[in-house]
Amino acid sequence: MYDCSKGQLLKMNILVINCGSSSIKYQLFCMETKQALANGTAERIGSREAFIVYKKGNRSYKLESELTDYFLAIEKISELLLNPESGVIKHKDEIVAVGHRVVHGGEEFKNSVVIDKYVLKRIKFYSKLAPLHNPPAYNGIKAAMRIFPKIKQVAVFDTAFHQTMPQEAFVYGLPFDLYKKYSIRRYGFHGTSHRYVSDEAAKILKKPLDSLKLITCHLGNGCSISAVKYGSSVDTSMGFTPLEGLIMGTRCGDIDPALIGYLMREEKMTIHQMEELLNRKSGLLGISGKSNDMRDLLVLAQKGNKRAALAIDVFIYRVKKYIGAYIAVMNGVDAIVLTAGIGENVLMIKERLEQELNNVLSHKTKILLIHTDEEKLIALDTFDLINGVISSSK
Ligand code: ADP
């Protein structure tokens, strides 16, 4: 099989970068084999304890490193990839493009795009809708542009896939002027994952994607569920922010919005404290009082811990409820996909859905466990864009 790491053919690798608030996940993909040559994370960027994890094959290296900003972190990643001993490429120009995960593209970006000055400006602009996520992506892009000045940078948006949602699915029951004034509407997230597993489901089912009604459940630390009709997202559980919808590790998902004012008055909480409660102290952690990690809860429930068992039950119930809603939305379903850390690994969820929905699902409806690979889809989009296979349109 062709192996990019041996360098028979230059200029076929794509670097994928996913910048968080203090970390960067990276992967270098060989586009001939569509496999990752190396991957890892740079963590605690900006602190004295910064380090980089670099993985190649079965080997993993952890290096403490002074990473004061994104520029130094990406420069270090590039050095590791080029390292004569542990690296996977010999020359920098073996990287032909960089694909960036960007969380928010507003209503403007319905597809992935090659980044130019205008796109960069708009990514910064949409920081107002994703204040924790877009600024690091913007900084990562700026840094990558300096480190790889000759090659194209591509943005792949989490929100893009859901831009096909009809108005009835994305408009909130709020004064319509607020939508116009502040762009308040439902956007949805995890779009790259929902799109990737939809494509994979069609391959597994050996049917064209545009003939299928799918419900894709991304159940990781963050959780969301989408109704994907004939290849397009027609509804999804996350909304204006990633707080809406399913119960998550530490996020509450759907609640009665009146609770916010009530609790703030009763507990004399500030807005910041309230946001902390909803985002970081709720969900599986909040209900169990023990952990946000499903693995811990499964062990605790097994040992008889009632609150851990309740957290799992509430989690699965909410997933089931959304599946029911999306069957109604699409007037049917051909397959349900479970993906991400919880979806792919906790078989009990699949078994319970099969049992509890057996009168709703036809015998032909399959529940599939599919491994998600957002980075791979970012690499594929980047490759297609730089080769003109898809156009850089909004
Ligand atoms: P992220 O959304 O951060 O990418 P992941 O997709 O890795 O997160 O999902 C994290 C969640 O998946 C955690 O709740 C973790 O407990 C759960 N998880 C991961 N592996 C397993 C496993 N083997 N069994 C049960 N739960 C798992």
Side-chain angles (χ1 to χ4, degrees):
M1 195 204 258
Y2 180 90
D3 181 357
C4 294
S5 64
K6 301 270 188 319
Q8 290 106 320
L9 213 155
L10 294 182
K11 294 184 181 286
M12 289 301 272
N13 302 314
I14 285 177
L15 179 62
V16 173
I17 288 180
N18 177 354
C19 290
S21 57
S22 66
S23 69
I24 298 177
K25 286 190 200 160
Y26 65 92
Q27 282 201 46
L28 185 71
F29 278 91
C30 164
M31 296 317 292
E32 283 289 319
T33 60
K34 313 259 189 314
Q35 300 295 323
L37 299 174
N39 65 68
T41 52
E43 294 188 39
R44 300 193 190 173
I45 298 167
S47 87
R48 282 168 186 271
E49 290 93 43
F51 64 90
I52 291 201
V53 175
Y54 175 79
K55 292 184 200 154
K56 177 189 158 188
N58 308 329
R59 300 182 70 177
S60 177
Y61 310 79
K62 184 177 167 185
L63 301 116
E64 275 167 36
S65 187
E66 203 171 313
L67 308 175
T68 41
D69 57 23
Y70 287 84
F71 178 80
L72 287 177
I74 297 173
E75 201 168 51
K76 193 78 199 166
I77 291 166
S78 152
E79 273 171 39
L80 286 166
L81 295 168
L82 281 156
N83 186 293
E85 276 161 32
S86 55
V88 285
I89 52 171
K90 290 196 178 68
H91 304 284
K92 213 170 169 180
D93 61 9
E94 288 171 46
I95 300 176
V96 290
V98 185
H100 296 265
R101 177 199 177 204
V102 181
V103 165
H104 223 301
E107 291 189 315
E108 185 172 353
F109 296 105
K110 302 184 192 321
N111 294 296
S112 304
V113 283
V114 173
I115 301 171
D116 57 16
K117 267 190 190 158
Y118 173 79
V119 173
L120 194 59
K121 214 168 78 184
R122 298 305 284 171
I123 289 171
K124 191 172 187 186
F125 174 79
Y126 289 116
S127 293
K128 67 174 189 165
L129 297 178
L132 300 179
H133 293 98
N134 272 33
Y138 174 83
N139 290 332
I141 294 166
K142 293 271 280 190
M145 282 175 149
R146 277 172 66 201
I147 294 161
F148 303 100
K150 291 191 216 150
I151 58 176
K152 287 189 173 144
Q153 314 278 329
V154 165
V156 179
F157 300 92
D158 273 26
T159 48
F161 183 57
H162 302 301
Q163 276 301 306
T164 46
M165 276 197 286
Q167 231 183 2
E168 70 218 44
F170 74 68
V171 169
Y172 282 118
L174 291 167
F176 197 70
D177 283 352
L178 295 177
Y179 167 45
K180 294 194 199 142
K181 194 170 173 191
Y182 297 111
S183 309
I184 291 176
R185 49 156 283 177
R186 308 185 63 254
Y187 290 95
F189 300 87
H190 289 144
T192 315
S193 177
H194 290 292
R195 195 178 129 210
Y196 180 83
V197 296
S198 299
D199 288 345
E200 293 299 301
K203 285 183 206 159
I204 292 167
L205 297 168
K206 297 193 174 61
K207 291 207 173 126
L209 183 59
D210 62 10
S211 71
L212 290 169
K213 294 174 182 173
L214 302 170
I215 296 176
T216 52
C217 313
H218 178 108
L219 310 177
N221 275 318
C223 301
S224 70
I225 176 164
S226 285
V228 182
K229 190 176 181 185
Y230 309 144
S232 300
S233 172
V234 292
D235 203 351
T236 192
S237 58
M238 284 178 168
F240 181 64
T241 74
L243 191 55
E244 189 178 336
L246 301 176
I247 306 280
M248 311 182 210
T250 60
R251 291 178 227 154
C252 60
D254 297 336
I255 55 164
D256 181 341
L259 270 174
I260 295 170
Y262 181 83
L263 270 178
M264 285 175 74
R265 280 191 297 274
E266 291 294 313
E267 296 266 314
K268 308 211 173 4
M269 291 164 83
T270 62
I271 290 172
H272 177 72
Q273 286 168 328
M274 191 69 223
E275 286 176 344
E276 280 285 302
L277 179 100
L278 301 174
N279 281 291
R280 297 191 197 282
K281 297 182 182 164
S282 300
L284 295 175
L285 173 67
I287 301 171
S288 70
K290 292 281 184 195
S291 173
N292 64 321
D293 193 303
M294 185 55 97
R295 279 167 293 204
D296 296 341
L297 298 183
L298 290 167
V299 173
L300 285 164
Q302 192 78 35
K303 289 184 184 158
N305 184 305
K306 291 214 169 69
R307 291 254 301 274
L310 176 66
I312 297 168
D313 285 346
V314 177
F315 180 90
I316 298 176
Y317 179 81
R318 183 75 57 90
V319 171
K320 188 170 76 172
K321 196 158 122 173
Y322 265 95
I323 289 173
Y326 289 169
I327 292 172
V329 162
M330 295 192 288
N331 194 13
V333 61
D334 296 303
I336 296 168
V337 179
L338 301 176
T339 191
I342 299 174
E344 291 167 32
N345 294 298
V346 185
L347 292 179
M348 178 260 288
I349 297 185
K350 178 178 188 256
E351 288 160 9
R352 276 187 49 180
L353 291 174
E354 274 166 352
Q355 274 167 22
E356 295 174 24
L357 295 173
N358 71 337
N359 279 333
V360 179
L361 302 178
S362 87
H363 65 282
K364 282 189 267 169
T365 309
K366 294 213 165 49
I367 302 185
L368 306 170
L369 304 187
I370 300 181
H371 174 62
T372 192
D373 196 342
E374 290 152 282
E375 278 79 13
K376 190 169 180 176
L377 190 51
I378 294 174
L380 291 169
D381 265 11
T382 303
F383 191 67
D384 285 350
L385 272 168
I386 63 166
N387 287 306
V389 177
I390 50 173
S391 62
S392 193
S393 62
K394 279 192 237 156

